[in-house]
Amino acid sequence: MSLSVAQGTTGVPGSPAATAPISGRQLPSPDPKFGGVIRDDALRSKPWWAPRTAPPKGAPNVLLIITDDAGFGVPSTFGGVIPTPAMDRIANQGLRYNRMFSTALCSPTRAALITGRNHHSAGFGVVSEQSTGFPGYNSIIDRDKATVGRILLENGYATSWFGKNHNTPAFAASQVGPFDQWPTGMGFEYFYGFVGGDANQWQPNLFRNTTQIYPFKGKEGTWNLVTGMADDAIDYMTRIHQTQPDKPIFIKYAPGATHAPHHPTREWVEKIRAMKLFDDGYEKLRERIFENQKKLGVIPKDTRLSPWPKDVIKPWDQLTDTEKKLFIRQVEVFAAYAAYSDHEIGRVIQQFEELGRLDNTLIIYINGDNGTSAEGGPLGTPNEVAWFNGVNMLPADVQMKWYDVWGTEHTYNHMSSGWSWAFDTPFDWFKQNASRLGGINQNMVVSWPARIKDKGALREQFVHVIDVLPTILEAAGIRAPEIVDGIKQKPIEGTSFAYTFDAKNAKAASRHKTQYFEMMGQWALYDEGWMLATKVNRAPWQAFGPANPDPLNNQVLELYNLNEDFSQTTDLAAKFPQKVKELKAKFIAEAKKYQVFPLDASVAARIVAPRPNITAGRSEFVYTRPMVGLPQGDSPLLLNTSYTVTADIEVPQGGAEGMILTSGGRFAGYGFYLLNGKPVWLWNLVDLQRIKWEGPDALTPGRHTIEFEFKYDGEGPGTLAFNNFSGVGRPGTGTLKVDGKVVDTKKMEKTLPMILQWDESFDIGSDTLTGVNDADYRPPFTFTGKLNKLTLKLDRPQLSPADIKKFEAAMSAAADGPVSEDLTLVQRLEHRVDKIRDCRKQADAKKLGALERIPFMRECLQ
């Protein structure tokens, strides 16, 4: 390429002021040939500088916003009752999209978003915390799929990422690295956010680039990440534009809202409470949102609502007064979180205007990386970590203990799934449900004042998150690279929707024709308006039973024509069996093409699946000095195993106290510490129970060995490989010793089966973020003695050949025997009953007489 004549070249070629775009075919771009003159002496030579890389002329700034766990009916922009003026602003000066699709889960959607490839293609068939050793599920974005950050960076953009990063493997999140899967290793020059799937917004596990930071220290309970990241983003964009005004910037802005924990400020909770939006319950909320959506015109006038799922979520009028009071509190906090987040997003947008950059800024604001989460279950929970450990039906009267502090630093809260169903209006089901629009049909607004003139208009074309990257590249005039770092790139799988920016294409046919969906064994295929979908066979909070052993075939299949049935309410499978067969074959072809196989319907079981973290294959861990910040995915796991923890310490004159070892925090974890000089081992069981072993006496000055030994009674997580949960969460007996003498012994009747609080870390010598027992201490609770040596020894249960034979036989019987056949029969009968019910409703709506009903029902049921 001749850089001197490329479009967008500025300055005199060879001068220090020269800039030019690159061809973009190969990244990094090869160094250009020296264009000056070299003679024996400098006076007769001519210097020459390679032009600095600049994007094509007119390339816009890009602000890519994606919120978390928010369904179609959440924002006011699309008929919701929660005020979202920032989203309204973008919609009014740009476009609304009512057919933007996600993958049904957090990090899979985000991997697809930043790579332009399907989530399995990018290694994210599930969230990173559930990764398994298959190409579509290992949570590793391979180097043949360069991200939007990397492509724009090499083409002259300043690139940054704020907020949630759920695309670093859980087993590569420590300070050991490697950092190639962190934002800064994937082309984002600046990162300010958290690495995992969720974060305590009051005391987050927060990073600037790859260094952990604690901006909330001394401000606990008042500092909040929602505002903190907006402040940092505003500072970043201002610094870049003041330093180099002509350099465009790319910001990926990914707030934690509205993923649990729902942590708004009290000010926002009071604002929402004063509006009294939810006092008449979730069914009425759903109806109100539905009517708003029709009035706004963001859904077709003939859209239908599916019946309220009485067998899954108790109707409002059947709740107790205590449940109603609690549930209203839960949803007001959720709504406050959504409104608060949108307000802070508005501040970031406003800063572009104040810098004079808004006109040439492409803003893509996606509401939700999946539908609204129902992982709190029908009753909600004050502690989401409890759900991940199978505790998800905590009675309302027990939850009322946290009523006054709901949403503060004292809860890791999630609302009742009744509200989640309502916030997915006009669709049904939730996050995780890849076969229902409530899990995958998001909405989006886009503005670019310099280009989009059809202000306030609606676009109804099918758009998927994989389409965002090619759209940004087209808007910037940048080609997709063929080679990056010497590695040939896999083709981008998304389709640009930049054509929809023009009013002349408002009603143009969708260019994205076919799209598969799959999440934890539930799957669907969209094909030019038709949608084949598996019938939902579990609610999201039902994650701890045996998984469907054959999710490709052991399913009830449903068929919908979304061109005529916007909300997926009329199943046409019985009427068009050939179409069902055709689309299933297409799904299988897509699944083979994009690394979807092997299908796996397990949920919780994958949380404790073995992964290549730095503890793999090790049974002994030795530490000789304080160390904090080791994430759960890279630290020794003391769940479902026997273990011994031994501390060799020295107590100074006057005694000692403080944390020796801890992992987790206020909402689940353990601690080994001296309290008033006495040795303590404590297990925090999801903030519902704390079991403590304690020595009777304070340790005397001098050297001591304190030891906690735990004998686990179960067969271990190896049973999960056979679709069996019997080996996890079993009892065990703990023994505390001082200098070889037993000082306390207790049996734990239940142990945590799956995880500790995963946004906390494994700390030695002090406690970061929250503590495991507020009644005993407050972090950092630094150990005031001397730690000579800390040793952890794990004695993991191993299945014997006889055990394996037993579990294999049980799994085979479950897959092939009468139980499986009965299950399939029941599913078929349920499908038939549902079909009969739907046909009757259609006949009632048509007001057919008795003689007319017979042929109608016969045809409808075919």
Side-chain angles (χ1 to χ4, degrees):
M1 181 184 78
S2 175
L3 289 172
S4 61
V5 297
Q7 183 183 9
T9 297
T10 64
V12 177
S15 73
T19 70
I22 59 175
S23 75
R25 187 188 72 82
Q26 177 180 335
L27 302 178
S29 182
D31 292 333
K33 182 180 178 180
F34 179 72
V37 176
I38 298 178
R39 303 198 183 279
D40 293 346
D41 57 274
L43 291 177
R44 291 186 301 145
S45 300
K46 181 180 179 182
W48 185 89
W49 291 95
R52 287 177 284 114
T53 299
K57 185 178 181 181
N61 298 299
V62 180
L63 174 60
L64 174 58
I65 304 160
I66 183 164
T67 63
D68 207 335
D69 286 8
F72 195 97
V74 167
S76 60
T77 319
F78 287 83
V81 300
I82 302 172
T84 52
M87 193 178 201
D88 293 346
R89 174 183 182 179
I90 300 307
N92 292 336
Q93 65 185 22
L95 302 168
R96 286 176 171 85
Y97 291 76
N98 67 1
R99 283 300 200 198
M100 156 55 80
F101 283 80
S102 69
T103 70
L105 206 60
C106 301
S107 51
T109 291
R110 293 157 191 274
L113 181 70
I114 64 174
T115 65
R117 280 84 170 187
N118 285 297
H119 58 301
H120 293 87
S121 295
F124 274 89
V126 286
V127 295
S128 59
E129 294 85 353
Q130 294 175 301
S131 60
T132 54
F134 299 101
Y137 299 88
N138 60 18
S139 73
I140 297 170
I141 297 176
D142 290 330
R143 290 185 293 169
D144 59 2
K145 302 172 189 73
T147 71
V148 63
R150 179 67 193 278
I151 298 170
L152 294 183
L153 174 67
E154 297 290 352
N155 279 275
Y157 272 74
T159 58
S160 58
W161 182 335
F162 294 86
K164 178 172 176 173
N165 159 27
H166 206 185
N167 293 129
T168 296
F171 50 82
S174 78
Q175 291 305 290
V176 171
F179 296 110
D180 60 321
Q181 296 280 310
W182 285 59
T184 53
M186 293 193 290
F188 298 87
E189 293 176 295
Y190 182 78
F191 171 58
Y192 179 96
F194 54 96
V195 173
D198 54 26
N200 181 335
Q201 301 293 300
W202 301 105
Q203 294 171 269
N205 193 6
L206 190 63
F207 288 84
R208 176 173 281 119
N209 299 324
T210 59
T211 301
Q212 194 166 6
I213 58 174
Y214 307 91
F216 49 82
K217 286 296 184 184
K219 307 172 188 174
E220 288 85 352
T222 58
W223 187 94
N224 190 293
L225 179 57
V226 177
T227 296
M229 65 179 275
D231 288 345
D232 208 81
I234 289 168
D235 177 70
Y236 167 82
M237 72 167 76
T238 303
R239 281 187 288 111
I240 296 298
H241 279 313
Q242 287 184 167
T243 304
Q244 188 177 348
D246 62 345
K247 189 179 185 72
I249 65 173
F250 170 83
I251 294 176
K252 183 193 176 194
Y253 196 83
T258 48
H259 196 292
H262 304 151
H263 279 170
T265 62
R266 290 182 184 274
E267 171 194 5
W268 279 96
V269 174
E270 292 308 314
K271 284 182 181 180
I272 294 296
R273 173 176 284 182
M275 296 172 72
K276 296 192 176 299
L277 299 172
F278 309 107
D279 290 0
D280 52 359
Y282 31 60
E283 292 114 313
K284 293 293 184 183
L285 171 66
R286 187 185 191 218
E287 293 168 8
R288 195 156 65 249
I289 293 172
F290 187 56
E291 290 307 312
N292 290 346
Q293 291 169 340
K294 287 187 175 181
K295 288 176 184 175
L296 272 177
V298 294
I299 65 173
K301 295 291 185 184
D302 61 355
T303 302
R304 296 179 293 276
L305 277 181
S306 59
W308 185 261
K310 293 183 288 187
D311 54 336
V312 178
I313 302 169
K314 190 184 295 186
W316 188 258
D317 62 8
Q318 295 179 22
L319 299 178
T320 67
D321 289 343
T322 298
E323 287 173 331
K324 290 178 179 178
K325 180 178 180 181
L326 174 68
F327 291 2
I328 290 170
R329 177 68 166 171
Q330 292 173 353
V331 72
E332 285 176 344
V333 169
F334 171 87
Y337 194 29
Y340 173 34
S341 178
D342 179 83
H343 171 79
E344 295 299 320
I345 289 169
R347 292 179 55 224
V348 175
I349 294 169
Q350 182 61 28
Q351 187 65 13
F352 276 101
E353 181 166 36
E354 293 180 7
L355 290 168
R357 305 289 173 177
L358 190 60
D359 188 60
N360 196 32
T361 296
L362 170 62
I363 299 177
I364 300 173
Y365 186 159
I366 302 169
N367 171 63
D369 54 0
N370 42 244
T372 315
S373 171
E375 291 161 357
L379 300 176
T381 178
N383 183 4
E384 184 203 26
V385 184
W387 174 78
F388 287 106
N389 284 290
V391 181
N392 58 20
M393 295 296 280
L394 196 63
D397 56 345
V398 176
Q399 293 192 53
M400 288 298 289
K401 169 185 172 183
W402 291 275
Y403 181 87
D404 291 331
V405 294
W406 203 272
T408 71
E409 66 272 27
H410 298 289
T411 59
Y412 218 81
N413 50 306
H414 201 304
M415 66 186 172
S416 160
S417 54
W419 301 116
S420 307
W421 192 281
F423 283 127
D424 287 341
T425 303
F427 312 121
D428 56 25
W429 291 96
F430 318 98
K431 169 187 178 179
Q432 293 191 29
N433 297 125
S435 60
R436 299 302 299 180
L437 296 183
I440 56 177
N441 197 150
Q442 314 304 133
N443 43 48
M444 171 179 71
V445 294
V446 178
S447 74
W448 184 8
R451 166 74 188 277
I452 297 174
K453 304 302 181 184
D454 193 16
K455 295 184 178 181
L458 177 69
R459 296 292 186 263
E460 300 175 87
Q461 288 87 354
F462 182 100
V463 178
H464 191 273
V465 286
I466 61 174
D467 300 337
V468 171
L469 182 147
T471 302
I472 292 171
L473 296 187
E474 182 177 344
I478 293 171
R479 69 184 294 176
E482 299 172 24
I483 298 171
V484 178
D485 295 329
I487 298 171
K488 185 177 180 181
Q489 297 294 288
K490 290 291 179 73
I492 288 173
E493 294 159 7
T495 303
S496 171
F497 58 85
Y499 69 98
T500 67
F501 293 173
D502 298 323
K504 66 180 181 180
N505 292 325
K507 299 297 182 180
S510 302
R511 294 183 183 177
H512 191 140
K513 304 292 187 183
T514 302
Q515 180 63 46
Y516 81 90
F517 299 88
E518 191 280 334
M519 191 58 60
M520 295 178 286
Q522 299 181 65
W523 53 268
L525 182 87
Y526 171 89
D527 189 56
E528 297 195 63
W530 287 99
M531 187 169 184
L532 180 70
T534 57
K535 182 177 180 180
V536 175
N537 52 26
R538 68 166 187 87
W541 57 88
Q542 297 168 335
F544 291 85
N548 182 346
D550 185 10
L552 179 62
N553 300 304
N554 190 19
Q555 303 262 23
V556 172
L557 298 181
E558 300 173 335
L559 179 68
Y560 301 92
N561 182 353
L562 299 187
N563 291 328
E564 300 175 359
D565 177 17
F566 185 82
S567 54
Q568 193 187 16
T569 56
T570 304
D571 177 17
L572 303 173
K575 189 174 183 180
F576 299 108
Q578 192 58 37
K579 193 69 176 177
V580 171
K581 185 177 179 180
E582 171 197 333
L583 293 183
K584 182 177 179 181
K586 274 195 173 185
F587 171 80
I588 292 171
E590 295 289 288
K592 290 178 178 178
K593 183 177 180 181
Y594 297 120
Q595 303 187 151
V596 181
F597 292 127
L599 292 181
D600 187 347
S602 64
V603 185
R606 281 192 266 185
I607 294 175
V608 290
R611 298 182 182 91
N613 66 15
I614 57 179
T615 70
R618 296 174 62 191
S619 60
E620 183 172 339
F621 304 83
V622 178
Y623 308 92
T624 57
R625 61 182 297 169
M627 180 181 75
V628 299
L630 192 62
Q632 304 295 344
D634 267 342
S635 59
L637 186 65
L638 303 190
L639 303 185
N640 307 310
T641 185
S642 297
Y643 56 89
T644 303
V645 181
T646 306
D648 176 355
I649 62 173
E650 291 182 37
V651 176
Q653 293 296 323
E657 69 168 6
M659 186 60 67
I660 297 169
L661 168 67
T662 184
S663 193
R666 180 176 291 134
F667 305 102
Y670 61 82
F672 193 20
Y673 50 94
L674 297 188
L675 182 65
N676 299 320
K678 299 177 182 180
V680 171
W681 181 280
L682 180 137
W683 267 107
N684 171 1
L685 302 181
V686 295
D687 201 27
L688 297 176
Q689 181 183 15
R690 286 171 172 79
I691 301 176
K692 181 188 287 189
W693 292 257
E694 186 171 13
D697 303 309
L699 298 183
T700 58
R703 193 163 186 169
H704 294 278
T705 299
I706 56 175
E707 178 182 292
F708 183 74
E709 181 182 36
F710 190 78
K711 293 292 186 182
Y712 182 65
D713 295 340
E715 294 165 302
T719 65
L720 296 174
F722 303 97
N723 211 7
N724 188 300
F725 280 76
S726 65
V728 299
R730 307 302 296 169
T733 301
T735 302
L736 180 65
K737 300 178 183 178
V738 176
D739 298 326
K741 179 182 176 182
V742 174
V743 296
D744 199 3
T745 299
K746 282 187 178 71
K747 183 172 183 178
M748 291 178 68
E749 295 299 332
K750 294 181 180 180
T751 58
L752 296 178
M754 295 295 159
I755 64 164
L756 307 180
Q757 185 181 342
W758 58 19
D759 68 331
E760 297 264 353
S761 55
F762 179 94
D763 299 328
I764 298 168
S766 64
D767 191 354
T768 57
L769 307 184
T770 65
V772 292
N773 191 18
D774 291 340
D776 281 353
Y777 70 93
R778 293 300 174 110
F781 200 43
T782 304
F783 182 54
T784 58
K786 179 184 178 185
L787 175 66
N788 295 316
K789 187 178 182 181
L790 178 69
T791 305
L792 281 72
K793 293 183 179 180
L794 308 184
D795 183 13
R796 300 181 181 93
Q798 301 294 322
L799 296 178
S800 68
D803 291 332
I804 293 173
K805 190 173 181 180
K806 175 184 70 175
F807 286 117
E808 284 178 339
M811 184 170 65
S812 178
D816 302 325
V819 172
S820 179
E821 291 171 7
D822 287 348
L823 176 63
T824 305
L825 178 60
V826 168
Q827 289 176 330
R828 288 173 180 165
L829 289 172
E830 288 177 344
H831 182 270
R832 192 64 174 170
V833 169
D834 287 346
K835 185 63 183 172
I836 292 170
R837 185 182 295 120
D838 181 68
C839 289
R840 282 177 176 170
K841 285 183 179 178
Q842 292 184 49
D844 291 340
K846 292 177 179 291
K847 298 181 179 180
L848 299 178
L851 294 177
E852 296 170 300
R853 291 177 77 93
I854 294 172
F856 174 82
M857 290 291 291
R858 185 182 296 120
E859 181 180 354
C860 183
L861 291 169
Q862 285 180 354

